[in-house]
Amino acid sequence: MNFLGLYNYWVFAVLLMIGFYAVVAKTNLVKKLMGLSLFQAAVFLLYITMGKISGGTAPIIQKGLEDAVFSNPLPQVLILTAIVVGISTTALGLGIIVRINEEYGSIDERDVQESDRR
Amino acid sequence: MSSIDAHLPVLQVVVPLLVAPLVTILRPSGLAWAATTATSFMALMIAVGLTAGALEGDIQRYEVGAWAAPYGIELAVDSFGALLLLILTGASTFALLAGKASLDQQIESGRQPLFFSAWLLVLAGLAGILVSADAFNIFVFMEISSLASYVLIAGGPDRRALPAVFKYLMMGTIGATFYLIGIGLIYMMTGTLNLADIQVRLVDVAGLRPVVVAIGFITVGLGLKAAVFPLHVWLPNAYNFAPHAATVLLAACAAKVSLYVLLTFDFVVLQPVLPEHDPHFGAFLMPLAVLGILAASAVALFEPNLKRLLAFSSVAQIGYILLGASMVSLPGVTASLMHMFNHALAKGALFLAVMCLATRLPSLELDDLAGAAKRMPWTMAAFVVGGLSLIGIPGTAGFTSKWYLISASLEVGGAGGWLLIGVIVTGSLMAVVYIWRVVEAAWFRVPLAEPTEVREAPALMLSVTWLAAAANVYFGLSPWLQTTLASNGARMLLGEAP
């Protein structure tokens, strides 16, 4: 098995799990959101990696470079869209956290639950 | 006319998407409401046009920007998609028409244009999922609709909506990201994102591990979005604290659209390719469906708040829809699709009635409902019609899909089939009990204060609610529309000639 050759995929999996852990285990809402961003960023890495060909270059047709190997540009375009989606999600999430802080005076999940129970 | 017909699939998305930013600058808020309602009505008309095409039996395809598939993005509307487009645009139009007074009560008028803009984005996003035949496009539309629906839910006056929506945002994003990982792995193996093209190319690599992992990610991700038990924990609070009009829209269609993607992916793309698909699909989802029906109905039995009670009932209904699909037979999948339509009718009518109640009552706790039938007799009568349809009493829409479900279970045969029938009947009996709890509170419980004079909900709201209730009876007595679309859709999903 070529473990090091799959280096990027290992980083993908580790980042994904770190993000997921933060979402599940942290009670601070901002930390949860950071975890979520990390979780999404890991997927960006997965897409970019799969489009890369070793020795491949940017897919631009140039004179005198007829036999160049190109990396697949499509995953990068897809991930550009996914990054926009990720940014919007983070922005909306932060907006909700600001509102939660206004209403509850805390951004800790336990405090929020506690003050609704009363 | 025919030239417009060809563009209907894309217009379904483009019309609300274009109006959404315009609505934000419309003042006063009544004008924004009128523009949104008119757009929603236009979307309903487009959906009716697409349904008429689907009833003729053809899949309506559209190449965006005239780029041919699989290189370009393809839109395709079949019977299944048309069925859900009808539900979506119908629910949106009904909720907006009825919801004016309730939204004025719940959202201050300065913020209303923004709220309506988000509403149209939900409409455009969900419609986009239903018309798209491209896996990545579905992801983008899913996120458009989800982000906008977080805004809708957080728009209400109750501060508890905020933690609820944050939880929904977390779980919804994880679900969508799982889906993204899944289609990424599939793209890695096939090099295409067009659903029909994936199916063709997946044949060569079907047995390989990335494909299996991808299917796992996609199933769990969409299960999260669709609130499949036990991934439903975001749903009750999100529905409960959303503005009442938004609850009508979301309860009628949001989760079902994710189920649409799940079923389309599983049956159109994967089933013809993977030899072991059917037993795995059934073995994984059927227990979840059964548990969902029983557990969520049981929670609804003891829930003290009317809106949360109905939200838990929604989780149970998703169980029924999944149960039919997990039988992987023609009658089963037909029942599943029919139940999507019928449940949207029943829950739509129920949540419209809840909206009527909320305009006059201090809260929606069952205790505060005491004597409501004396003060709002028409509203409660509409609620009962919706409730009967939810239970599945003959003569209402809910009966037809329960009937199909039971006959599909009989076809499964053996002890397993009888067990499924037992689950369906038990779930329906529990529905009788939790609907009865509401009826009991409204009619027979003596209110603390003396019952005041009859004070009904605003006329427009009440008449739309009755229209929805009447639709439950109409489609119960003559279920041709949902039966035809559902059976055509099921044949298409299972790859049989119509």
Side-chain angles (χ1 to χ4, degrees):
Chain A
M1 276 295 271
N2 180 6
F3 279 102
L4 279 182
L6 301 173
Y7 176 71
N8 277 16
Y9 294 101
W10 287 108
V11 177
F12 153 70
V14 170
L15 273 182
L16 195 75
M17 284 304 111
I18 293 174
F20 196 56
Y21 170 79
V23 170
V24 174
K26 295 294 169 189
T27 57
N28 184 313
L29 297 182
V30 175
K31 287 185 182 167
K32 268 183 185 287
L33 203 61
M34 285 163 74
L36 196 69
S37 289
L38 206 56
F39 186 75
Q40 291 179 307
V43 182
F44 305 162
L45 185 66
L46 170 73
Y47 270 72
I48 301 295
T49 306
M50 75 174 78
K52 175 71 181 165
I53 298 172
S54 49
T57 173
I60 303 167
I61 298 172
Q62 297 168 31
K63 279 208 174 107
L65 254 180
E66 266 73 33
D67 57 345
V69 179
F70 294 139
S71 288
N72 186 350
L74 185 69
Q76 306 207 8
V77 178
L78 296 180
I79 247 32
L80 209 56
T81 315
I83 288 173
V84 175
V85 168
I87 295 287
S88 325
T89 310
T90 310
L92 184 63
L94 286 173
I96 294 168
I97 292 174
V98 170
R99 287 281 297 124
I100 288 177
N101 191 36
E102 281 172 10
E103 296 283 342
Y104 290 88
S106 168
I107 55 164
D108 195 284
E109 206 179 28
R110 284 168 300 193
D111 295 344
V112 170
Q113 281 171 353
E114 197 58 36
S115 68
D116 265 343
R117 203 168 293 137
R118 267 183 273 133
Chain B
M1 194 60 209
S2 61
S3 62
I4 282 282
D5 276 359
H7 293 282
L8 286 183
V10 75
L11 285 176
Q12 185 79 75
V13 184
V14 167
V15 169
L17 202 58
L18 281 184
V19 180
L22 297 179
V23 164
T24 56
I25 54 169
L26 287 181
R27 299 286 186 284
S29 60
L31 199 59
W33 171 79
T36 309
T37 311
T39 310
S40 175
F41 186 72
M42 201 194 269
L44 175 61
M45 288 299 108
I46 295 172
V48 169
L50 286 169
T51 308
L55 282 172
E56 284 166 20
D58 43 330
I59 297 179
Q60 296 155 84
R61 295 180 187 282
Y62 186 87
E63 290 165 352
V64 179
W67 291 91
Y71 302 106
I73 290 166
E74 188 191 24
L75 308 181
V77 181
D78 50 45
S79 300
F80 186 14
L83 181 78
L84 278 161
L85 282 173
L86 270 188
I87 297 173
L88 166 69
T89 53
S92 161
T93 311
F94 272 50
L96 281 167
L97 259 184
K100 176 87 172 74
S102 170
L103 288 171
D104 283 342
Q105 214 175 35
Q106 290 196 295
I107 300 170
E108 63 261 44
S109 72
R111 287 198 298 131
Q112 275 191 21
L114 299 173
F115 180 85
F116 286 127
S117 176
W119 186 295
L120 285 175
L121 287 176
V122 172
L123 190 59
L126 293 177
I129 298 174
L130 296 173
V131 301
S132 186
D134 181 284
F136 193 81
N137 234 21
I138 288 176
F139 165 75
V140 175
F141 280 126
M142 199 189 277
E143 284 305 74
I144 291 176
S145 65
S146 303
L147 287 168
S149 57
Y150 305 147
V151 176
L152 285 195
I153 294 167
D158 194 325
R159 70 170 188 174
R160 286 172 294 177
L162 296 167
V165 102
F166 192 80
K167 189 184 222 173
Y168 184 16
L169 183 137
M170 285 288 152
M171 298 190 71
T173 307
I174 288 174
T177 309
F178 267 32
Y179 175 75
L180 187 62
I181 297 171
I183 58 172
L185 291 171
I186 284 195
Y187 177 75
M188 198 153 90
M189 300 312 288
T190 61
T192 180
L193 289 165
N194 182 292
L195 290 180
D197 203 32
I198 291 176
Q199 193 233 307
V200 173
R201 288 167 195 243
L202 210 53
V203 178
D204 300 333
V205 291
L208 297 181
R209 180 141 315 153
V211 176
V212 180
V213 174
I215 296 166
F217 271 115
I218 289 173
T219 309
V220 174
L222 292 173
L224 249 171
K225 285 251 154 201
V228 172
F229 184 88
L231 305 170
H232 67 281
V233 288
W234 58 266
L235 184 141
N237 274 345
Y239 282 13
N240 187 12
F241 298 122
H244 304 303
T247 310
V248 177
L249 173 69
L250 297 175
C253 49
K256 293 186 189 72
V257 172
S258 300
L259 279 177
Y260 164 87
V261 182
L262 183 64
L263 295 189
T264 308
F265 222 102
D266 259 300
F267 285 113
V268 176
V269 179
L270 303 175
Q271 197 209 18
V273 178
L274 303 175
E276 298 269 279
H277 173 271
D278 291 359
H280 284 177
F281 183 76
F284 181 63
L285 288 177
M286 196 179 280
L288 297 184
V290 168
L291 280 174
I293 293 170
L294 296 179
S297 301
V299 175
L301 290 181
F302 298 101
E303 180 55 52
N305 181 293
L306 177 55
K307 250 179 131 182
R308 262 179 80 90
L309 183 155
L310 291 177
F312 272 107
S313 150
S314 278
V315 177
Q317 304 299 319
I318 289 164
Y320 287 115
I321 296 169
L322 214 54
L323 184 64
S326 65
M327 293 174 194
V328 206
S329 64
L330 190 57
V333 178
T334 309
S336 164
L337 306 197
M338 272 175 78
H339 200 63
M340 289 193 187
F341 185 85
N342 296 339
H343 171 244
L345 277 180
K347 255 314 145 42
L350 285 171
F351 273 118
L352 282 168
V354 167
M355 183 162 77
C356 293
L357 290 172
T359 53
R360 298 289 183 244
L361 296 180
S363 89
L364 290 169
E365 300 296 315
L366 286 187
D367 293 337
D368 284 329
L369 240 61
K374 291 205 181 67
R375 296 172 58 190
M376 309 177 74
W378 287 98
T379 304
M380 282 314 296
F383 184 93
V384 169
V385 174
L388 292 178
S389 182
L390 187 72
I391 295 163
I393 301 292
T396 58
F399 172 71
T400 56
S401 48
K402 290 264 170 77
W403 178 259
Y404 269 71
L405 257 181
I406 288 180
S407 39
S409 313
L410 277 177
E411 209 164 278
V412 171
W418 286 105
L419 211 61
L420 292 181
I421 292 175
V423 169
I424 295 166
V425 172
T426 313
S428 303
L429 288 177
M430 289 203 257
V432 173
V433 176
Y434 60 68
I435 292 295
W436 175 255
R437 288 179 63 215
V438 182
V439 171
E440 190 259 344
W443 261 278
F444 301 114
R445 211 176 288 175
V446 183
L448 295 174
E450 279 302 300
T452 45
E453 72 286 7
V454 172
R455 190 150 173 269
E456 268 293 355
L460 180 62
M461 192 185 290
L462 191 62
S463 45
V464 173
T465 307
W466 263 100
L467 200 61
N472 273 295
V473 177
Y474 173 77
F475 286 112
L477 295 175
S478 94
W480 63 275
L481 177 69
Q482 74 266 41
T483 316
T484 316
L485 286 174
S487 60
N488 286 350
R491 281 203 191 88
M492 185 272 305
L493 285 178
L494 294 171
E496 293 174 18

